[in-house]
Amino acid sequence: MAFPPSGSPAPAPAAAGGGPRPPAARPLFLGTYTSQPGGGTGIGLASYDPVSGEIFPGGTLSGVADPSFLALSPCGRTLYAVNERRPGGVTAIALGEDGGHEILNSRDTGGDAPCHLSVHPGGRFLLSANYTSGSVAVHPIGEDGSLGERTDLVEHSSPPPGPGQQGPHAHQILTTPDGGHVLAVDLGNDSVYTYRLDESAGTLAQVSVAALPPGAGPRALAFHPSGRYAYLANELSDTVSVCAYDPDTGRFTPGAPQPTGTGGVTSYPAQPLVSHDGAHAYLSNRGHNSVSHYAVEDEGASLRLLGTVPVGGDWPRHLALSPDGALMFACNQRSGAVTVFSVAPGTGDLSPVATATAPIPVFALPL
């Protein structure tokens, strides 16, 4: 399934098996790289059957450069994309109910290669992480969803870079579930920074810094529904850490690194994911081409590795659950395919149910 370049969705296609797209199909947005050979020409527009998991192409929203990560506004009417290039930017897109999406505007992030962004729960600020520059940025969001001029840019100047790193590499920025703090994960500095966001000025004030073991390379975290624990993927050490979060102080405390179950294969784990009920956690392993499956125990305080599941593609990067938690989407960057798994109720076991081709898929947002 390759997405044809277009400014608006293509007519509803037939399913791969010859049948029509089901009326209950849900929207699916795919992030890619536009500047790499074989990449896309913008944000992939698709839909999926929430029962079978089958994906149907729907064209491309062109005019968005290197949209490798996407985020939806709390109201659901605006989509935001990073522009992972040099210099970096972020773009706002108004989502039309009829699929006639409109690019609102783009803003400079003040750094290079932004690779992650998130919307503050209040819907008034967009947070982004500049990977190459090792900085995080804040942009105000207007009533129409468009982005204002940047209100803050914070560089991770300390602690010093970890082994083999030439500098900081901010890889993720997100608001804690209680809404009280903002966390920024920096792969280059082996650190997780805690900030408070001043919602009047749109600025970040550092509260604390949590250190990971030298050379861990923390990449991304996902919170347990309790909001007290998070699971952190350590890209360079091929481990995952259970981390405690204190809502009162904002302190983030990483636990001992745990194995990914990849058997010594250099894996570069990328994306942790937690089931909606908090009973299971998953982790994409790029070198091993698998998804690790963990049982979440002790009310979120511990993980027990259950095994790994082949992803059926090469270099699985981003993982995402459908809103009902019944399907998981795995983006296989190097093989140009999205694998869809069914998630078994109770056990959390994964079973592949569908595969679709796409140009360098690195992010999936199923609605």
Side-chain angles (χ1 to χ4, degrees):
M1 179 195 69
F3 294 110
S6 66
S8 60
R21 181 173 59 185
R26 301 282 301 163
L28 173 67
F29 297 93
L30 295 176
T32 184
Y33 288 106
T34 61
S35 60
Q36 295 184 10
T41 58
I43 298 172
L45 304 176
S47 59
Y48 69 97
D49 185 330
V51 177
S52 71
E54 187 167 10
I55 295 176
F56 310 94
T60 303
L61 179 65
S62 58
V64 185
D66 290 314
S68 63
F69 202 95
L70 311 172
L72 189 68
S73 65
C75 67
R77 294 192 296 268
T78 311
L79 182 70
Y80 299 95
V82 299
N83 308 130
E84 192 177 337
R85 51 177 48 201
R86 182 175 186 179
V90 284
T91 297
I93 301 109
L95 300 181
E97 293 183 4
D98 60 353
H101 311 318
E102 176 188 0
I103 297 175
L104 296 174
N105 69 338
S106 296
R107 294 290 186 182
D108 193 327
T109 60
D112 297 335
C115 62
H116 186 271
L117 82 174
S118 61
V119 184
H120 189 263
R124 297 178 51 238
F125 294 97
L126 183 71
L127 312 170
S128 58
N130 294 308
Y131 177 79
T132 303
S133 304
S135 60
V136 293
V138 183
H139 287 84
I141 296 175
E143 291 186 4
D144 64 348
S146 63
L147 297 169
E149 293 287 352
R150 189 177 63 249
T151 53
D152 204 4
L153 179 68
V154 179
E155 297 183 0
H156 293 163
S157 57
S158 64
Q165 301 298 308
Q166 302 304 310
H169 295 306
H171 211 296
Q172 185 187 38
I173 183 166
L174 75 168
T175 306
T176 55
D178 65 297
H181 298 91
V182 171
L183 301 181
V185 180
D186 196 296
L187 186 151
N189 287 354
D190 293 322
S191 300
V192 179
Y193 298 77
T194 299
Y195 297 100
R196 283 192 185 276
L197 175 65
D198 184 329
E199 296 188 47
S200 297
T203 55
L204 296 169
Q206 185 173 307
V207 174
S208 61
V209 181
L212 276 293
R219 177 185 174 96
L221 62 85
F223 267 93
H224 184 265
S226 68
R228 301 304 297 262
Y229 300 98
Y231 312 115
L232 179 62
N234 299 311
E235 175 178 324
L236 301 182
S237 63
D238 188 15
T239 59
V240 62
S241 298
V242 179
C243 307
Y245 166 68
D246 185 340
D248 294 329
T249 64
R251 185 170 297 277
F252 192 77
T253 307
Q258 299 178 217
T260 59
T262 54
V265 174
T266 303
S267 180
Y268 304 107
Q271 178 69 47
L273 185 67
V274 184
S275 62
H276 296 335
D277 62 4
H280 300 273
Y282 305 91
L283 181 67
S284 59
N285 301 305
R286 288 174 289 179
H288 194 246
N289 289 332
S290 67
V291 175
S292 298
H293 180 195
Y294 298 87
V296 178
E297 299 177 333
D298 301 325
E299 299 182 338
S302 63
L303 295 178
R304 178 168 55 87
L305 180 65
L306 298 176
T308 61
V309 179
V311 79
D314 189 7
W315 212 248
R317 183 159 155 174
H318 184 255
L319 302 177
L321 289 170
S322 58
D324 62 2
L327 297 173
M328 178 189 291
F329 298 78
C331 294
N332 300 305
Q333 180 175 355
R334 293 182 177 174
S335 57
V338 178
T339 303
V340 186
F341 295 92
S342 66
V343 183
T347 66
D349 290 342
L350 302 178
S351 300
V353 293
T355 302
T357 60
I360 312 185
V362 293
F363 185 90
L365 178 60
L367 301 185

